[in-house]
Amino acid sequence: MERNGAGLLVLPGLLLFSIFMFFPLAYTFYLSLTNAEPTNVFAGDGLRGDEEFVFTEVLGLQLPIANYVDVLSDPAFWNSIGVTWLFVVASVGLKVAFGIALAMVLTSDRIRGKRYLRSIVIIPWALPPIFTITIWSGVFSSARFGLANQFLIWLGFAPQAFFTDRWLAFTTYLITEMWLAYPFMVIITVSALQAVPEELIDAAKVDGAGYFSRFRAVTAPAIKRPVMFAGILTAAASFQQFLIPYVFNRGGPGRDNELIILYGYREAFNFNQYGAGAAIMLTAVLFIAMFMLVAVWKGDLAEGVSN
């Protein structure tokens, strides 16, 4: 009886939490099945407007998934998915490599003032992302006074129009994303490196192992799981990146570099296709959920976690 009473006490909070968590997802799913747009979704009274379900025939059945069929048959969607995954893979690789290299420096016995250096390293993490991204957009400005172009001119190269060339613009996205996220990788890696048993490293030194051999045989296996976990988290964040392409050049040139979240945003709010935008966003959620499940499964990151 006492246990049931305690359960009843938490029910209101649990109900409110569930509504807070699942109502936006449920409403987005509902919109993804309709022809919602500004002229009908805000019409009428109450929660539902004048939007209607849009059907398409699948295996002889009329199903309200026309938006999903349209999205999946749109080459622009697959271009956006491809660019997004390329951005995720490249940025995570850069962040992991840079984070490990910097963490090794910050935990080296040969470095003095490590406490202060660690404080400096995490500064980018403390700055508002929109502020940092705006500064980087100025750095890569196509004008000659842009810091990147000034550096190229100093090296003897011609100035570049960074945001009007597809792959130059994509490279600026990667550099900025790495700047935004590397402090997280450094913090996780430094913590993992501090947990590596000194006895193992000393034993490797006694066996005559060099620096890189010790890193490959002792350090890398010891930090593998936390670095993989951090890599998966930062990959999910990279998949949802919106501000960098939006501030830099709206995913340009044209729509070549539209990451998936920006693509869905523009379909919904620039072209007023709320239903299609909702379908794109939920498809993106499905992609990232599948990635997280596969990554956790293949990386054995749930090992030892009970139900």
Side-chain angles (χ1 to χ4, degrees), residues 38-53:
T39 56
N40 57 31
V41 75
F42 298 120
D45 298 324
L47 186 63
R48 190 173 183 275
D50 290 340
E51 69 275 6
E52 296 178 350
F53 290 106

Side-chain angles (χ1 to χ4, degrees), residues 14 17 28 31 35 67 73 90 100 116 119 126 149 152-153 155 162-163 172 187 192 197 212 216 232 255 257 280 307:
L14 187 62
F17 179 74
T28 303
L31 288 180
N35 61 349
N67 285 327
S73 59
I100 291 176
Y116 304 105
S119 302
N149 270 334
L152 289 177
I153 293 171
L155 291 176
F162 289 98
F163 299 146
T172 65
I187 289 173
F212 291 105
R216 180 177 55 82
I232 291 171
R255 303 187 70 177
N257 285 331
I280 292 167
N307 292 328

Side-chain angles (χ1 to χ4, degrees), residues 98-282:
F98 188 67
I100 291 176
L102 198 51
M104 295 292 288
V105 171
L106 294 177
T107 54
S108 172
D109 294 333
R110 299 179 179 179
I111 300 297
R112 303 297 178 189
K114 288 180 283 190
R115 179 181 300 177
Y116 304 105
L117 288 176
R118 291 176 190 178
S119 302
I120 294 172
V121 161
I122 65 172
I123 286 177
W125 211 11
L127 298 174
I130 185 63
F131 171 78
T132 306
I133 292 168
T134 303
I135 293 296
W136 275 105
S137 71
V139 169
F140 291 115
S141 169
S142 299
R144 292 179 65 88
F145 56 76
L147 193 62
N149 270 334
Q150 286 290 316
F151 184 65
L152 289 177
I153 293 171
W154 179 72
L155 291 176
F157 295 100
Q160 299 292 322
F162 289 98
F163 299 146
T164 57
D165 178 88
R166 179 179 190 180
W167 297 114
L168 276 179
F170 187 78
T171 304
T172 65
Y173 296 177
L174 292 177
I175 294 172
T176 308
E177 172 71 1
M178 187 176 71
W179 175 264
L180 288 171
Y182 85 84
F184 175 69
M185 291 301 306
V186 171
I187 289 173
I188 297 295
T189 310
V190 165
S191 301
L193 286 171
Q194 289 175 332
V196 178
E198 288 290 338
E199 297 80 5
L200 292 178
I201 296 176
D202 292 339
K205 288 180 180 176
V206 171
D207 290 340
Y211 180 83
F212 291 105
S213 297
R214 292 199 303 274
F215 178 81
R216 180 177 55 82
V218 178
T219 306
I223 66 173
K224 175 184 172 184
R225 286 170 65 90
V227 169
M228 281 186 63
F229 185 71
I232 291 171
L233 291 182
T234 194
S238 296
F239 190 89
Q240 300 171 58
Q241 184 55 256
F242 170 82
L243 283 175
I244 294 176
Y246 184 79
V247 171
F248 276 21
N249 61 352
R250 302 294 192 273
R255 303 187 70 177
D256 287 346
N257 285 331
E258 273 185 350
L259 304 186
I260 188 66
I261 301 300
L262 177 57
Y263 173 68
Y265 172 86
R266 293 187 69 178
E267 289 294 321
F269 298 106
N270 286 14
F271 304 113
N272 295 326
Q273 299 298 316
Y274 290 177
I280 292 167
M281 294 301 185
L282 288 180

